[in-house]
């Protein structure tokens, strides 16, 4: 084997290693991007739910008016 063949084999091996590292990096970035989208959606839904909960009355001390009188609920 001549020097050119060793250089060619070394270049191909180096290209393969660089390609594998590049593919790994791209895959990790895509995974992180998808995870961030999922977390953002979850936080957004949780925030909407918290805002809805804050608007509701939970006991008689916080209720200023009733949409349905209590008498109608007992029937």
């Amino acid at each position: 084997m001549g020097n050119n063949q060793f250089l060619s084999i070394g270049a191909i091996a180096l290209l393969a290693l660089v390609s594998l590292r590049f593919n790994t990096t791209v895959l990790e970035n895509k995974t992180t991007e998808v995870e961030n989208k999922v977390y953002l959606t979850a936080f957004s839904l949780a925030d909407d739910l918290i805002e809805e909960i804050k608007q509701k009355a939970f006991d008689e001390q916080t209720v200023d008016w009733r949409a349905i009188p209590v008498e109608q609920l007992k029937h």
Side-chain angles (χ1 to χ4, degrees), residues 3-75:
N3 273 345
N4 287 339
Q5 289 176 337
F6 283 124
L7 287 175
S8 296
I9 292 172
I12 291 172
L14 184 61
L15 180 63
L17 290 173
V18 169
S19 177
L20 285 174
R21 182 65 187 146
F22 177 77
N23 288 339
T24 302
T25 303
V26 169
L27 181 62
E28 287 174 357
N29 287 343
K30 284 290 184 187
T31 302
T32 303
E33 182 181 341
V34 169
E35 284 178 356
N36 287 340
K37 285 182 181 179
V38 168
Y39 291 143
L40 185 61
T41 302
F43 287 136
S44 177
L45 291 172
D47 186 51
D48 290 345
L49 188 59
I50 289 172
E51 289 302 318
E52 183 181 340
I53 290 170
K54 284 180 176 179
Q55 293 175 359
K56 297 192 179 203
F58 289 101
D59 60 18
E60 291 183 12
Q61 301 301 320
T62 60
V63 176
D64 294 331
W65 55 274
R66 298 181 192 281
I68 300 172
V70 176
E71 296 78 28
Q72 289 182 358
L73 294 175
K74 293 180 182 179
H75 291 218

